[in-house]
């Protein structure tokens, strides 16, 4: 597994949600084929939530690159992301 690449996919997903929520052009959305899902998730997460989620993903990515135990880094990230959804 290449966790940094997979975290990049996850980061792109939440980036797309943020772009949609900001009302930026759809041409900036990477997952345009999933636009209905992007819309749904944009209705669930606030701007603050998305900022926190993106920060948590970036932190996990950095920790994994610094050779922190990937399982622990991912478990912490997922737990913190679960708290973000309001």
């Amino acid at each position: 597994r290449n966790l940094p690449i997979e975290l990049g996919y996850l980061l792109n997903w939440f980036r797309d949600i943020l772009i949609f929520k900001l009302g930026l052009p759809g041409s900036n959305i990477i997952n345009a084929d999933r636009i209905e899902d992007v819309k749904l998730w944009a209705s669930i997460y606030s701007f603050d939530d998305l900022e926190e989620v993106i920060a948590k993903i970036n932190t996990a990515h950095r920790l994994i690159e610094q050779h922190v135990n990937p399982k622990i880094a991912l478990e912490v990230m997922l737990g913190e992301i679960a708290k973000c959804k309001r």
Side-chain angles (χ1 to χ4, degrees):
R1 282 184 135 174
N2 193 332
L3 289 177
I5 290 174
E6 291 178 19
L7 287 174
Y9 294 144
L10 187 60
L11 186 60
N12 285 337
W13 176 252
F14 281 98
R15 175 195 162 277
D16 283 351
I17 296 165
L18 182 60
I19 286 171
F20 178 83
K21 197 164 185 78
L22 288 169
L24 296 174
S27 61
N28 293 321
I29 294 177
I30 295 169
N31 295 287
D33 60 321
R34 305 276 315 271
I35 193 66
E36 292 304 316
D37 292 324
V38 169
K39 288 179 186 179
L40 174 65
W41 284 54
S43 71
I44 295 170
Y45 286 90
S46 70
F47 287 110
D48 290 340
D49 292 337
L50 290 169
E51 184 179 293
E52 282 186 55
V53 168
I54 289 168
K56 302 303 180 192
I57 296 168
N58 282 327
T59 297
H61 185 270
R62 188 178 66 254
L63 290 172
I64 289 169
E65 286 188 336
Q66 293 172 350
H67 305 290
V68 169
N69 183 313
K71 183 177 179 182
I72 293 171
L74 291 176
E75 285 178 5
V76 169
M77 178 195 75
L78 291 172
E80 291 176 349
I81 287 174
K83 293 176 193 173
C84 292
K85 193 174 100 178
R86 296 186 180 122

